Amino acid sequence: ILTNLSRKYETLLNTVAPELLLPPTELGILQTLETEKRPMYAGKIAVELDKSYQMVGKRGKTLAERGLVSRDVNGEGRRVFVITPLAEASYFTNDPSDALDVFAEEPSRSDV
C-alpha cells in the first residue's frame, strides 16, 4: 500500500515557521553530538559530516544562539560543542504522541 503523507499532514507542515527548520548541516551536527554523547571539537564533527571545521564552527555558533548546543572551552583552552537538553528534547526524544499516523485512513484512488 502506498500512502501519500504529504496531503494528510499538509496543514500541520504549513504551520511550521520556516525559520525554525534547520539546514542539513546543522541537523548533522546535532545528530553527531547525540550519537557520540560527548563534547566534540569542530574538527572531529567536520570529519563525521565531510565538511570543513570552519563551517561546523560557524553553524555551531548559530546552533548555540538558538540554545541547541553549548560552545564551551575545555581544560586545554579549545572550544568544544555539547548538545543541550533543549535539542535532545526537541529532536531526539521518542514520544509516542509524535508518531505519524500512517495507517489511519485508507488511501484514495488519487493516492495510489
Side-chain angles (χ1 to χ4, degrees):
I1 294 175
L2 178 63
T3 303
N4 187 338
L5 296 178
S6 63
R7 288 190 192 121
K8 184 173 183 177
Y9 290 101
E10 181 177 17
T11 305
L12 176 64
L13 292 172
N14 287 333
T15 64
V16 177
E19 64 272 8
L20 296 177
L21 300 175
L22 295 177
T25 299
E26 292 178 14
L27 288 172
I29 292 168
L30 293 179
Q31 178 66 46
T32 300
L33 291 170
E34 165 64 17
T35 301
E36 293 294 323
K37 304 219 184 289
R38 61 184 171 92
M40 295 183 73
Y41 301 123
K44 294 285 187 181
I45 297 169
V47 168
E48 292 291 323
L49 300 178
D50 196 24
K51 305 286 183 189
S52 71
Y53 75 89
Q54 295 96 333
M55 176 182 276
V56 171
K58 183 177 178 179
R59 297 294 177 95
K61 183 177 180 182
T62 302
L63 289 170
E65 289 168 355
R66 294 176 127 179
L68 299 174
V69 300
S70 61
R71 299 167 65 224
D72 301 323
V73 177
N74 68 7
E76 300 169 2
R78 293 185 62 192
R79 185 171 310 282
V80 292
F81 294 94
V82 178
I83 193 166
T84 64
L86 173 61
E88 291 271 353
S90 299
Y91 294 94
F92 301 103
T93 300
N94 216 357
D95 184 351
S97 68
D98 291 337
L100 293 177
D101 189 10
V102 177
F103 300 108
E105 61 188 49
E106 291 296 318
S108 67
R109 284 297 225 178
S110 64
D111 290 340
V112 179

